[in-house]
Amino acid sequence: MWAGRERGGRLDSVLYVSLIKNAALLVVLVFVYDYLARGTRRWPPLVNQLVAGGVLGGVAFTLMAMSWPLSDGVFIDARTVALSTGTLFYGTVPGAIGGSIAAAFRIHQGGPGVSMGVATIAMSVIVAAIWRRVRATDRRDPGFRELWAFGFAVHGCMLCLTCLLPRSMFVDVLQTIAVPVIVVFPLGAALVGTVMVDQRRRRRAERTLRQSEDRFLAFGERFPGRMWMLDDELRYIHVNTQFAEMLGRERSDVLGRTPDDVWAPDVARSLRDHCRRALDGETVDVIEYWPSGGERRWVRALAFSVGGADRGGFIGGLMLDVTDMRQTEAELMRHAERLQQNVRGAVTAMGSLVESRDPYTAGHERRVAELAVAIAERMGWSRDQVEGLRMAALVHDAGKVAVPAEILSRPGRLSVHEFELIKVHARAGYDVLRSIRFDQPVARTVLQHHERLDGSGYPSGLRGDDILPEARVLAVADVFEAMTSHRPYRPALPHEVAVEELRDGAGTRYDVAAVDACLAALEDGFILSSGWDDGRPDAGAGDRWSESRAEGLDLGGVPIAGGVPDTGAVLEEA
């Protein structure tokens, strides 16, 4: 029996104390390795592996130098923990290098246990390499249970290798090391592996954070504008180069300062207001005139809160130079206004052309436009809708250019055939206007201005919602103006008659909302402008109205039962 057995329990207590020292040294050396791993992250992969293997071999060497001799040439230490966990986490090449260093030192130590010692070292590296490949621990983080199972497998194999010891000491050594090897060492491997997993996760998180910071800085430098961040005390914690250049300063000279330190008082006051609104939860988005590089430029400024001041958050901001955009917009607006004026001029010229062919209705389109605009404004229409309606009203009779001039200007009665020719003007006007690109449906409004809600209108007999809102309003204005203005075959009808016609037809022939708006405008004092030079009809108007009335004709020459003019029929020639 070997001499150590004579010391009994004292040997066991010293053995466990030695193992505890080994474990403490192992943890310290793991952290040393982690420090080296951080310092070599920019080296080439092969260099990293060589350094890792050297450190791993140094760890094993130190542990073996502090081992407890069970007898001459037989030692116990935590080299298997270091080599197996090191290979598992840092790769086969570092494990082979570390194992070679450890094996060389064990051979140097000599003794009857050298065969078992070298075999144990080789086994630790081989089992760890196989486990690493099968369980892919290089791409995922193993848990505590897996690490304990790994340690148990390694040290179970270690106990099997005790058979390589001389037969005279095999049993005693196995009895002495069985409990620490099968209980303590697997637990030690699991603990060390857990520390390595934690360190690897921390390094990965730090690397991700550095990459995120680098990406953010690169984004800020490439961003086509100015970026800034203020802490809850309104001190700059980040600015990009463009922002610093706008101030004529270096970035380092801006950080830590407040807006009052780097901006003129008026700009600093504006920026503080933006920050206050941002801290209240508002996303500020304004266009202001800011100083930039010795001049003032139009800048779109955005400010927003991240986290909130009560939670240690910060205020982020972006600035985009929109001076060129503003100038372009102004130029486009001027160009659009010129185009709009050209369109208005063309519309006016077209209306004048119609009036020149039908002098008896001079000013009719203009007066209809005035009343239609008043109706639309009371109905709450947008500015663009009102303008589109106004242009449609100014040319709603443009199709009369297709009607023979002698029919338009003849003061006498019209035949049924002649009246049918008059009715063509709605579609003729549409055909003239549809090739012009208006922002609003001007051409279709002209086409439909004689349509009625009950389908009694022309040219298509549309009903209800099939008629454009603009055409419904235009119809009301057109009817009222036609009835209250002089015509070559009759004098102007009293306003009361026209109002009664609109009220009677509201909901059947005419749009109710348009009629209500028209009547409200009239009650508020709206007055149609005169279309005659002296405000009166020509001298023969009364006689012609009497003649047509006596003959029982409406304005189109269509017979009327009983010789009494039908107000609805009188409207058709408007």
Side-chain angles (χ1 to χ4, degrees):
M1 306 295 280
W2 51 291
R5 281 185 67 84
E6 297 177 358
R7 294 193 289 271
R10 180 174 175 271
L11 175 61
D12 292 339
S13 62
V14 172
L15 174 63
Y16 283 106
V17 169
S18 177
L19 292 177
I20 292 172
K21 290 181 179 180
N22 266 229
L25 179 61
L26 186 63
V27 172
V28 171
L29 290 177
V30 166
F31 278 100
V32 171
Y33 172 77
D34 181 67
Y35 174 78
L36 293 175
R38 293 174 187 272
T40 61
R41 63 178 181 271
R42 297 186 182 277
W43 294 356
L46 180 59
V47 175
N48 277 335
Q49 290 182 332
L50 293 175
V51 173
V55 172
L56 190 58
V59 170
F61 176 87
T62 305
L63 291 172
M64 293 167 67
M66 296 180 61
S67 62
W68 177 257
L70 297 178
S71 66
D72 292 337
V74 179
F75 308 95
I76 184 171
D77 52 61
R79 82 191 78 155
T80 52
V81 175
L83 291 172
S84 61
T85 54
T87 303
L88 183 68
F89 284 95
Y90 302 116
T92 303
V93 173
I97 295 173
S100 299
I101 295 173
F105 181 68
R106 183 63 188 89
I107 292 172
H108 172 74
Q109 287 179 312
V114 67
S115 297
M116 176 190 172
V118 173
T120 300
I121 292 171
M123 176 273 303
S124 300
V125 173
I126 293 171
V127 171
I130 295 173
W131 196 287
R132 173 185 173 89
R133 181 174 181 83
V134 173
R135 300 291 297 173
T137 57
D138 56 330
R139 297 190 298 273
R140 65 178 188 86
D141 296 327
F144 183 84
R145 290 184 179 180
E146 180 179 349
L147 291 170
W148 180 87
F150 165 73
F152 188 85
V154 170
H155 293 93
C157 293
M158 175 182 173
L159 287 181
C160 294
L161 292 176
T162 55
C163 64
L164 297 177
L165 291 171
R167 187 171 297 182
S168 59
M169 59 178 62
F170 165 71
V171 176
D172 290 332
V173 170
L174 183 61
Q175 290 177 347
T176 303
I177 69 173
V179 174
V181 167
I182 207 65
V183 175
V184 178
F185 281 13
L187 182 61
L191 293 174
V192 172
T194 301
V195 173
M196 289 184 171
V197 167
D198 181 68
Q199 290 176 336
R200 187 164 73 178
R201 288 173 176 169
R202 186 178 295 111
R203 286 198 304 273
R204 188 185 302 133
E206 291 173 353
R207 183 168 58 252
T208 302
L209 179 61
R210 284 194 302 270
Q211 291 173 348
S212 177
E213 291 174 349
D214 292 341
R215 292 190 187 107
F216 174 76
L217 292 175
F219 171 79
E221 293 306 307
R222 297 296 299 273
F223 179 72
R226 289 88 176 183
M227 292 180 58
W228 53 268
M229 294 181 189
L230 292 168
D231 61 16
D232 54 358
E233 296 181 354
L234 299 188
R235 296 185 179 276
Y236 285 105
I237 56 177
H238 172 75
V239 297
N240 66 354
T241 302
Q242 292 92 323
F243 185 91
E245 289 176 349
M246 182 173 63
L247 293 170
R249 297 170 178 259
E250 296 292 332
R251 291 180 62 242
S252 58
D253 189 39
V254 179
L255 299 179
R257 297 178 180 268
T258 66
D260 295 295
D261 297 331
V262 297
W263 290 107
D266 58 331
V267 178
R269 186 165 49 253
S270 176
L271 187 55
R272 284 199 308 272
D273 178 66
H274 297 342
C275 293
R276 178 188 57 77
R277 291 164 58 188
L279 289 174
D280 289 340
E282 180 183 353
T283 297
V284 181
D285 187 352
V286 296
I287 295 180
E288 297 178 325
Y289 208 42
W290 280 55
S292 176
E295 61 177 344
R296 282 189 172 261
R297 308 275 292 177
W298 285 106
V299 172
R300 182 180 182 183
L302 295 93
F304 47 89
S305 176
V306 179
D310 56 338
R311 290 177 289 174
F314 63 90
I315 303 169
L318 302 173
M319 292 180 180
L320 296 171
D321 190 327
V322 294
T323 302
D324 294 340
M325 186 184 301
R326 294 275 291 195
Q327 293 173 347
T328 301
E329 287 177 354
E331 181 62 29
L332 288 174
M333 290 180 65
R334 288 192 293 269
H335 183 64
E337 181 61 27
R338 287 195 296 269
L339 290 176
Q340 191 73 3
Q341 290 174 355
N342 291 337
V343 171
R344 291 180 188 140
V347 168
T348 302
M350 195 175 298
S352 299
L353 176 62
V354 173
E355 290 182 357
S356 69
R357 303 187 75 247
D358 187 9
Y360 295 101
T361 58
H364 165 69
E365 290 180 314
R366 174 171 48 80
R367 292 191 299 275
V368 171
E370 293 171 358
L371 181 55
V373 167
I375 295 172
E377 288 177 344
R378 282 191 166 270
M379 294 174 68
W381 285 16
S382 68
R383 180 179 176 181
D384 290 341
Q385 281 182 297
V386 172
E387 179 61 19
L389 175 61
R390 189 184 73 84
M391 285 193 289
L394 287 173
V395 293
H396 73 274
D397 282 339
K400 286 185 177 180
V401 298
V403 179
E406 59 271 19
I407 295 178
L408 294 176
S409 59
R410 182 158 63 85
R413 63 182 182 178
L414 302 176
S415 67
V416 174
H417 173 70
E418 289 171 333
F419 184 55
E420 290 299 321
L421 289 178
I422 290 287
K423 291 169 65 175
V424 171
H425 80 279
R427 183 165 296 280
Y430 170 76
D431 292 338
V432 170
L433 296 170
R434 66 179 177 177
S435 60
I436 302 175
R437 297 187 61 181
F438 294 98
D439 292 335
Q440 300 295 326
V442 172
R444 291 174 59 206
T445 301
V446 170
L447 175 65
Q448 298 178 10
H449 78 278
H450 276 296
E451 301 287 358
R452 299 295 181 257
L453 295 183
D454 59 3
S456 62
Y458 64 85
S460 302
L462 300 179
R463 293 176 176 270
D465 292 339
D466 291 336
I467 305 173
L468 290 175
E470 291 86 348
R472 298 183 211 172
V473 171
L474 182 54
V476 171
D478 193 25
V479 164
F480 183 85
E481 198 285 331
M483 294 183 66
T484 57
S485 297
H486 298 283
R487 288 293 184 267
Y489 42 81
R490 61 157 174 81
L493 297 176
H495 280 205
E496 293 77 8
V497 176
V499 169
E500 187 64 25
E501 162 63 19
L502 293 178
R503 283 177 175 165
D504 289 345
T508 55
R509 295 187 298 278
Y510 313 119
D511 183 85
V512 174
V515 170
D516 291 343
C518 178
L519 298 181
L522 295 172
E523 290 174 0
D524 289 345
F526 177 85
I527 300 176
L528 288 172
S529 61
S530 174
W532 299 81
D533 292 339
D534 60 357
R536 294 174 291 125
D538 65 313
D543 293 337
R544 284 190 294 274
W545 162 243
S546 301
E547 178 185 353
S548 64
R549 180 181 181 185
E551 294 175 358
L553 301 176
D554 72 354
L555 80 167
V558 179
I560 301 172
V564 179
D566 177 6
T567 307
V570 171
L571 309 176
E572 293 303 330
E573 200 255 339

